[in-house]
Amino acid sequence: MNTDFFIDLLLQVKDFENSEACKPNSKVDDFRRWMNDKKYREESPTKLLKNEKHQVSFTENEICKQVLLLSRYSKQLIRKGLGDFPELANEEFTYLYRLKDERDLTKIQLIERNGHEKQTGTQIIKRLLEYGLVEEKNDLEDKRSKRLNITPKGEEIFHQSVEKVNITSKILSGKLEEEEKNELLQILKKLNEFHAHLYQEHKNSDIDKIIQFVK
């Protein structure tokens, strides 16, 4: 080993010490995990594909990577934020909040508003019914459908959980400036509108047909 190696190692240690990952009782394993995470974040998901001589798009693959990571981080954070409300921790809160905003939805409408598959959404609604947070009634026009509304208990849980949801949302927004938040919001809305259309109109189409909508 040469001197440059040790200089680089010391610089890496200094970066670690200046990072949020470093704590007063940090150990070598903490430094190692930080290095691994740093390396992962610096890597592009296209690198392997390029090495294998596949044609790739750096930007689009990087968007995919970042969206997937953010989804995982947000799920973990939501479970922590709603730790005092176990009835809402597994995406139930999105259904409850939707019903608060838009009452008297059918089960299918509620599931589609949340972008879920029917089986997943049905299980979430089933749990909300078991918890007594929502109630169902027959649709007057379509006897095969059920319409859902929040119960008094659901209203109470909603109001109790608002503060925790607000805190969680603030953390999820990170340290973005207000202008950055607004810009990101507009971009995410535009992207979600595109995917909502695919979800509603082409959910049974295969990927080779769906790709035509982005050309």
Side-chain angles (χ1 to χ4, degrees), residues 118-167:
K118 183 178 179 181
Q119 183 177 2
T120 301
T122 299
Q123 289 301 313
I124 293 173
I125 292 172
K126 181 180 178 182
R127 290 196 294 268
L128 286 170
L129 288 167
E130 290 174 351
Y131 296 146
L133 304 184
V134 303
E135 60 186 0
E136 60 182 358
K137 63 180 181 181
N138 292 327
D139 188 314
L140 297 178
E141 297 180 2
D142 185 353
K143 301 300 182 183
R144 296 169 300 176
S145 295
K146 300 282 188 180
R147 292 195 175 269
L148 300 167
N149 279 297
I150 300 182
T151 64
K153 181 181 177 181
E155 289 275 358
E156 183 180 355
I157 292 292
F158 166 80
H159 290 293
Q160 290 175 353
S161 64
V162 165
E163 182 180 0
K164 292 293 187 180
V165 171
N166 286 340
I167 292 173

Side-chain angles (χ1 to χ4, degrees), residues 82-140:
L82 292 174
D84 294 334
F85 305 95
E87 310 96 327
L88 304 180
N90 295 309
E91 299 206 46
E92 284 85 353
F93 89 96
T94 61
Y95 280 57
L96 189 70
Y97 276 52
R98 173 63 74 173
L99 280 176
K100 178 66 177 175
D101 182 57
E102 194 174 358
R103 297 175 180 272
D104 219 32
L105 292 174
T106 66
K107 289 184 177 181
I108 294 300
Q109 287 173 334
L110 182 57
I111 292 170
E112 290 182 344
R113 295 289 199 282
N114 285 279
H116 273 136
E117 296 291 335
K118 183 178 179 181
Q119 183 177 2
T120 301
T122 299
Q123 289 301 313
I124 293 173
I125 292 172
K126 181 180 178 182
R127 290 196 294 268
L128 286 170
L129 288 167
E130 290 174 351
Y131 296 146
L133 304 184
V134 303
E135 60 186 0
E136 60 182 358
K137 63 180 181 181
N138 292 327
D139 188 314
L140 297 178

Side-chain angles (χ1 to χ4, degrees), residues 37 40-41 61-79 91 168-176 181 184-185 187-188 191-192:
D37 184 60
Y40 178 73
R41 285 185 278 111
N61 277 274
E62 189 65 18
I63 288 173
C64 182
K65 169 188 167 182
Q66 298 300 330
V67 168
L68 288 172
L69 281 173
L70 189 58
S71 172
R72 292 164 188 164
Y73 294 145
S74 63
K75 285 182 179 178
Q76 294 174 25
L77 192 57
I78 287 167
R79 282 196 292 270
E91 299 206 46
T168 304
S169 299
K170 186 174 182 62
I171 297 172
L172 279 172
S173 297
K175 295 183 177 180
L176 297 178
K181 291 178 184 178
L184 177 60
L185 178 59
I187 292 172
L188 289 175
L191 189 58
N192 269 310

